[in-house]
Amino acid sequence: MNTTTQPAEKKSNGLLGNLLFNIVLPVIILSKFSTEEYLGPVWGLVVALAFPVGFGLWELLKSGKVNFFSVVGIISVLLTGGMSLLQLDPKYIAIKEAAVPGIIGLLVWFSQHSKFHLIKTLLENAQLLNMAKLQQVLESKQLVPQFEHKLDVTNQMLAGSFFLSSVLNYLLAKWILVSPPGTPAYNEELGTMTALSYPVIALPSMVLMMAAMWYLFTQISKLTGEDIDNFLQ
């Protein structure tokens, strides 16, 4: 096997696994197998939510390190399951759906005022850029303060993507979840919300995240007067 294809294959398998266990299987079970002749609304909910929780735990064990977003995802699913099994008013699901990305957005926003500046940390950990080379060029041209400002703007754009997700999550949940919890109709609505979460919420937020990184890379080129390829790893 050509070893150069392995990273791409791993990413592809990871994406397919995410879609299968976090969206496709839960949607099918919630929508088609939560009626009384199959699993029923309670067990249908438990089985459906077991897939994303199990997949999230498996990813954590496989990586061998704690991934903040994976942990938050697992907690979010467990909260959805707990609220639904307790048959709380669906408005609490909508509040939870908005609160999780909203809190992350606030953490991202305020990270720029701490030593754990998120964008800077991501660039260093992901090894997207040769930070040593970039820092050397910035220092030689006395552009470090300007670059720090660009990092802050990028960080705010990233926070904005989570705020957008928060608003869209809330509106989607309020629009779809109208039936009482503990009923097949509620499970079907939860399945519909899960199915729509990717095109309605994930894609717009992802576009905004990509726009933030595009902004940063173009600003690096403008500041240094060099092509961004000169700094890519």
Side-chain angles (χ1 to χ4, degrees), residues 13 51 75 104 112 196 202:
N13 291 337
F51 283 102
I75 293 173
I104 295 175
Q112 68 190 54
L196 291 176

Side-chain angles (χ1 to χ4, degrees), residues 26-166:
V27 167
I28 292 173
I29 294 169
L30 288 168
S31 303
K32 304 297 183 184
F33 295 96
S34 291
T35 54
E36 295 298 342
E37 60 264 32
Y38 293 109
L39 295 170
V42 173
W43 279 107
L45 180 68
V46 171
V47 172
L49 298 186
F51 283 102
V53 171
F55 183 74
L57 291 173
W58 176 76
E59 278 198 318
L60 288 174
L61 290 173
K62 184 180 70 171
S63 66
K65 56 184 179 181
V66 177
N67 182 305
F68 173 76
F69 291 103
S70 295
V71 172
V72 170
I74 293 171
I75 293 173
S76 179
V77 172
L78 290 175
L79 285 174
T80 298
M83 291 177 179
S84 300
L85 291 173
L86 291 172
Q87 299 187 10
L88 299 181
D89 191 298
K91 70 179 181 182
Y92 294 110
I93 297 288
I95 293 171
K96 187 274 299 181
E97 289 292 305
V100 171
I103 292 172
I104 295 175
L106 288 174
L107 292 174
V108 172
W109 184 281
F110 288 113
S111 74
Q112 68 190 54
H113 303 295
S114 71
K115 62 180 180 180
F116 300 108
H117 195 295
L118 183 62
I119 291 296
K120 191 181 295 184
T121 303
L122 287 175
L123 290 175
E124 292 172 352
N125 290 347
Q127 297 182 338
L128 291 173
L129 299 174
N130 186 331
M131 294 301 292
K133 181 180 179 180
L134 176 59
Q135 193 70 22
Q136 185 178 18
V137 173
L138 292 169
E139 288 175 355
S140 67
K141 297 185 178 184
Q142 299 181 336
L143 293 171
V144 173
Q146 292 91 323
F147 177 66
E148 296 288 341
H149 174 69
K150 303 302 181 184
L151 287 176
D152 288 345
V153 173
T154 307
N155 206 66
Q156 291 161 13
M157 292 175 67
L158 184 61
S161 70
F162 287 104
F163 294 143
L164 174 64
S165 176
S166 176

